[in-house]
Amino acid sequence: MLIIDSEKCTACGICETSCAFGAISVVSDCAVVTESCTLCGACVDNCPVDALRIEIAEKRTQVDIIEYVGIMVFAEYRHGKVAPVSYELLGIGRKLADKRGVKLSVVLPGGTVAGYAGDLIAAGADTVFLAEHPVLEQFREDVYARVLEQVIREQKPEVVLAGATAIGRSVIPFVATAIDAGLTADCTHLEIREEDGMLLQTRPAFGGNIMATIECPHTRPQMATVRPKVMAPAEPDFSRKGVVISVELPPGLVQSKIEVLETVVNTEDQVNIQEMETLVAGGRGLDSPKGFALIRELASELGGAVAASRAAVDSGWIPYPHQVGQTGKTVSPKLYIACGISGAVQHAVGMQSAEIVVAINRDKSAPIFDIATYGVVGDLYEVVPQLIKRLQEIKK
Ligand code: FAD
């Protein structure tokens, strides 16, 4: 942090003019720093009386790392069911737990959720921590975070996994901050080192141009979020046995500062592209929003849904919920037909786990052909109508 020695400061204002971020100003005869400070050091270098210095906090090393054992999943319950991502996390969580030779637990907050414990055990959990309370019926970030924090403090898991969903993305940073743990968001691959339990958290970095593997050696638990559809759930095994534990919730813990006034279901876009087996995606190659009529027709012939590249979404041709990729959704359909999409790495990370990729592009060197199972080099406005016609003929 930036330290200002008020004894030495002469209020000359040089620091104020040297700060490119407007983060330091002279107030009542002394320099004052604000939250915008980036610790760039320009003010320190320019101060003529050495009244400023930057102190770097020492890296914290947790002494009780050894006490943290086991893999824990944060499960989400919403709209009457456990979110599919929770089962996907249990799938990868089971693999990590087996490799490390430890137990897999899951925390499920909700109003009345005991009926789902069996499904969670069948999906791989050894222990289910049920946090049931009427307040938890509605998602409230502060209470959900405190519940998870309490379970983590008591159970001391080595790893905590959560979905990179709207709920996960708001709760998990809250918890990581409260317990002073590291957190890697949007992991696309997870491994664990058997000998020391180091979680190897892989995710795209630098705009998706490289894949970075992140380790968190100094603190526990190691926390990571994973987007829906990135990991595969295990085949449910209803013969598995597990333990169900009710989490004690002291009254203070479930008191929320959040008042839910109304819950509105988004009716604008009912189709969740992450749950479809067939997707027909359009990109900038469509050249206009009208092109999506053709994409929609092909999708409807195949009983699928429409997806899009960011270029198409940014052009305003189709709403954001259809976007596939790094800043959109990750999908893993059986069939993904990419029409007029170049296959930029930021798009590819969102669809490369599709079983069959068909690419239609008039540029034979487009990167999409590197990940395509089948490629058609040609104008989509010629190829797609022919595909639709052929499908209609087959149906007849
Ligand atoms: P283009 O790259 O312009 O490709 C259009 C393709 O259409 C070309 O290959 C062309 O040959 C072909 N074509 C043109 N006309 C025809 C025709 N008539 N018939 C057949 N083929 C034709 N992108 C995403 O998609 N999703 C994301 O989530 C995402 N996140 C990003 C995050 C960051 C931080 C950054 C920096 C970028 C992100 N991008 C994302 C943008 C990405 O880098 C690309 O710019 C984008 O994917 C390009 O979209 P496109 O393939 O539709 O367009």
Side-chain angles (χ1 to χ4, degrees), residues 207 283-285 309-311 323-328 340-344 346-347 360-363 366 378-381:
R284 200 182 341 243
S309 73
R310 177 163 159 182
Q323 185 180 317
V324 168
Q326 191 188 326
T327 43
I341 292 179
S342 60
Q346 297 90 352
H347 185 80
I360 304 167
N361 196 305
R362 65 181 178 195
D363 174 8
D379 188 326
L380 70 93
Y381 284 102

Side-chain angles (χ1 to χ4, degrees), residues 205-225:
F206 295 109
N209 290 316
I210 60 160
M211 297 303 281
T213 297
I214 295 161
E215 295 181 11
C216 193
H218 302 293
T219 56
R220 292 290 180 272
Q222 304 163 88
M223 300 181 74
T225 64

